[in-house]
Amino acid sequence: MESKTVKRSDIERLVREALSKKLPGPPAAGSPPNDLKVNISARHMHISQANLEVLFGPGHRLEVLRPLYQEGQFAAKETVTLIGPRNRIIPNLRILGPCRSLTQVELAFTDGIQLGFDLPVRQSGDIDNTPGGYIMGPKGLVEIPKGIIRAARHVHMGPVDAEYYRVRHQDRIRLRVKAAGCTTVFEDLLVRVDPSFKLEAHLDTDEGNACHMEEAESLELFA
Ligand SMILES: [Zn+2]
């Protein structure tokens, strides 16, 4: 009997441990290891080196306008014009560097309304069955068959943050933005964990305006 009881409690403990590791739970005790930054991503484009050279000329390299919060990422000096499926345009679309393997355009819903179509909400890189369009640069035009999306709201974090918030890569978490008379909770922030990431949530301009981010008094991630 004694050994059975021990086994049962062992199993219960193991199950509890497994569940607590798998499911987002309350943050670990103590204060967060890193300050949370929430930045608003204005509409932008990621681009492949091949497409960049069509738009800006052979051998062209992106020039840094200003560095972004994530290491190595930057807003480039280069901008393009996006031409949507009904020949409606979005001018001055900024390119973010460095170049990637995929060309992808990230817009807010308001931009989608301007272009005249519903934007699919996708995580970066997941662009199958998404709308395409034309990109015009000073030296040429590129047709992109797909890749115009509204980026899913998300938070970048390193492994230490992930442990604190008890989440894993691709989990979902919530973000509360406290602002006087306008406190907003965003659900379903996609968690993206990588050792190179600094703790930073990305919202688009529609979301940033909705929660009055400029007046935010506090920011909090919670399960
Ligand atoms: Zn991001």
Side-chain angles (χ1 to χ4, degrees):
M1 284 307 279
E2 182 63 24
S3 65
K4 258 188 185 172
T5 309
V6 169
K7 258 187 195 165
R8 183 185 165 128
S9 65
D10 276 354
I11 289 167
E12 281 177 0
R13 182 177 51 78
L14 289 171
V15 168
R16 270 199 302 275
E17 279 177 10
L19 285 174
S20 72
K21 274 180 190 158
K22 201 169 186 180
L23 298 170
S31 49
N34 291 298
D35 275 347
L36 172 65
K37 295 265 184 298
V38 179
N39 281 317
I40 308 301
S41 295
R43 56 178 174 254
H44 63 269
M45 179 169 75
H46 299 284
I47 192 166
S48 67
Q49 180 62 35
N51 284 347
L52 180 73
E53 294 192 21
V54 174
L55 298 176
F56 289 88
H60 189 87
R61 292 287 180 273
L62 287 175
E63 274 194 79
V64 178
L65 175 69
R66 64 183 172 87
L68 300 178
Y69 186 60
Q70 295 295 327
E71 204 66 45
Q73 305 295 303
F74 60 91
K77 287 183 179 162
E78 289 82 352
T79 61
V80 295
T81 300
L82 170 65
I83 304 156
R86 296 181 201 175
N87 291 336
R88 299 185 190 180
I89 69 163
I90 290 187
N92 304 318
L93 182 67
R94 183 145 324 267
I95 295 176
L96 300 191
C99 282
R100 295 184 175 184
S101 56
L102 282 178
T103 293
Q104 170 180 304
V105 176
E106 299 180 27
L107 305 175
F109 269 156
T110 303
D111 301 317
I113 292 166
Q114 188 183 328
L115 286 174
F117 62 90
D118 289 331
L119 287 170
V121 178
R122 294 293 183 86
Q123 70 167 300
S124 192
D126 176 20
I127 59 169
D128 280 347
N129 300 310
T130 60
Y134 290 89
I135 310 289
M136 197 173 70
K139 297 275 174 65
L141 185 77
V142 167
E143 180 180 8
I144 54 169
K146 58 185 178 181
I148 304 179
I149 61 169
R150 177 194 185 189
R153 57 186 66 149
H154 60 276
V155 55
H156 299 262
M157 61 173 73
V160 172
D161 302 306
E163 195 168 325
Y164 175 78
Y165 291 105
R166 296 189 176 166
V167 289
R168 289 179 179 172
H169 187 59
Q170 302 288 5
D171 277 349
R172 301 278 178 162
I173 197 167
R174 285 180 271 191
L175 167 68
R176 178 181 290 115
V177 180
K178 267 197 178 173
C182 186
T183 294
T184 306
V185 173
F186 292 96
E187 306 221 351
D188 295 335
L189 262 82
L190 186 70
V191 173
R192 297 172 60 182
V193 182
D194 188 276
S196 71
F197 284 161
K198 296 196 260 183
L199 185 63
E200 180 191 28
H202 277 150
L203 303 178
D204 69 19
T205 44
D206 287 346
E207 292 163 335
N209 290 337
C211 70
H212 208 171
M213 183 59 74
E214 285 175 10
E215 298 297 320
E217 293 154 10
S218 73
L219 305 163
E220 181 194 359
L221 288 174
F222 63 104

